[in-house]
Amino acid sequence: MATIEDFGQFETAWCPGCGNHSILKALKKALAHSGLEPQDILMVSGIGQAAKTPHYLLCNAFNGLHGRSLPAASGAKLANPRLKVIVESGDGCHYGEGGNHFLAALRCNLDITIIVHDNQVYGLTKGQASPTSMEGFKTKAQPDGVWSHPFNPLAVAISLHAGFVARGFSGEIDHLAELIQQGLAHRGLALIDVLQPCVSFNKVNTFKWYKDRAYKLGPEHDPTDWARAMQLSFEFGQRIPIGLLYKNDRPAFDDHFDVLRNGPLADQPVDKAALREVMMSFA
């Protein structure tokens, strides 16, 4: 069984104190505890500081366009259902540029795990407001403050009955690792939104800001209670719940394809006569 060390140790380009470091530690721990080997995993990301995560792991990786990680991940999963596909990027990449792909993924319930580094700001491009920035948040590009209402990814995911919806905090590494491990084990789409500080460009939502507000959901919370999960998804202010908010047993999108039950397409025999017939239909 693979150990945390088997997933590599690399020098990163992240700022000291960035939440990305803790999220990477949690991810490695979750992968090792899930019994996954580096060759079993495909990491897919878009553009951004969080999207550099696959650069710092020993595994299969695809680093694509801004906001376009989910289509690539969907194609890879459908072509090779044996792969454990993890999509990891920031709040801007997933909820902004990739917003429509995010909605489509929630509706389909493809068997992938989405980890979103949510620092409420665009870090790579020097601090513009992101979809999750709070109203009034001031940046160089928004000197009068953000006027738009923040996007609520958990409420959207729960409203669309996504299979597994959770929120973690980079300051709680063991708790986050457990959430990621649960998400990896879930059959269907798992969304894990991770609160994290951006020490360079977000001086409002700091580590202390999150630490003072985040609290863990207790065993009394029933994650199959959709109405209660919806209520919790709107709790974001003086108190912010972290943990598994909601889950269900919807069939995964790939379960609908009989052909995928026989394993990766590349491993299946080719009916050359049928293929020739298809090809000739275009002649």
Side-chain angles (χ1 to χ4, degrees):
M1 190 173 77
T3 65
I4 292 174
E5 290 72 26
D6 290 327
F7 291 96
Q9 185 70 39
F10 301 88
E11 182 179 350
T12 75
W14 295 327
C15 302
C18 175
N20 290 341
H21 297 285
S22 299
I23 298 173
L24 180 59
K25 287 181 182 175
L27 174 61
K28 287 181 180 179
K29 185 173 183 179
L31 292 172
H33 288 187
S34 296
L36 294 165
E37 302 286 342
Q39 65 269 23
D40 299 331
I41 300 159
L42 171 65
M43 292 288 299
V44 184
S45 67
I47 298 295
Q49 292 292 357
K52 295 177 182 175
T53 300
H55 303 185
Y56 309 135
L57 276 175
L58 285 177
C59 62
N60 301 294
F62 182 89
N63 193 185
L65 300 175
H66 207 185
R68 304 294 180 260
S69 54
L70 281 167
S74 301
K77 182 64 183 181
L78 290 174
N80 187 353
R82 288 181 188 158
L83 274 176
K84 180 60 69 178
V85 178
I86 303 168
V87 185
E88 188 158 352
S89 273
D91 47 301
C93 191
H94 274 306
Y95 304 147
E97 284 77 8
N100 197 35
H101 298 305
F102 177 68
L103 296 178
L106 295 175
R107 293 176 56 227
C108 290
N109 198 38
L110 197 70
D111 185 27
I112 58 177
T113 301
I114 304 175
I115 302 173
V116 183
H117 298 221
D118 191 351
N119 57 13
Q120 302 179 254
V121 75
Y122 281 95
L124 183 68
T125 49
K126 311 304 181 189
Q128 300 90 344
S130 82
T132 57
S133 296
M134 298 189 302
E135 287 186 72
F137 180 67
K138 293 184 180 180
T139 74
K140 289 183 179 178
Q142 290 88 16
D144 295 327
V146 173
W147 295 337
S148 301
H149 192 71
F151 180 72
N152 185 333
L154 301 191
V156 170
I158 295 168
S159 70
L160 291 175
H161 295 269
F164 181 104
V165 183
R167 170 172 275 153
F169 170 41
S170 64
E172 296 282 357
I173 296 177
D174 290 342
H175 181 257
L176 176 58
E178 186 178 331
L179 284 178
I180 295 174
Q181 190 175 345
Q182 289 180 42
L184 292 170
H186 177 77
R187 178 69 185 155
L189 187 140
L191 168 66
I192 303 158
D193 182 87
V194 187
L195 303 174
Q196 66 155 106
C198 174
V199 294
S200 297
F201 298 109
N202 189 339
K203 306 298 185 184
V204 176
N205 309 108
T206 61
F207 181 88
K208 184 178 186 307
W209 190 93
Y210 290 120
K211 186 72 175 174
D212 289 346
R213 289 163 173 78
Y215 74 92
K216 296 174 187 172
L217 291 171
E220 72 281 1
H221 173 60
D222 176 6
T224 66
D225 185 338
W226 181 87
R228 179 58 183 152
M230 282 298 294
Q231 288 179 336
L232 288 169
S233 71
F234 284 98
E235 189 176 355
F236 195 97
Q238 293 306 310
R239 285 167 57 80
I240 305 173
I242 58 174
L244 175 58
L245 274 71
Y246 178 68
K247 70 174 182 179
N248 62 43
D249 295 325
R250 280 178 62 197
F253 184 72
D254 24 334
D255 288 343
H256 298 290
F257 298 92
D258 291 339
V259 67
L260 296 179
R261 291 173 188 157
N262 298 322
L265 298 179
D267 289 350
Q268 298 185 35
V270 177
D271 185 338
K272 293 185 177 179
L275 177 60
R276 177 178 176 77
E277 184 178 345
V278 172
M279 295 300 290
M280 292 305 294
S281 69
F282 293 100

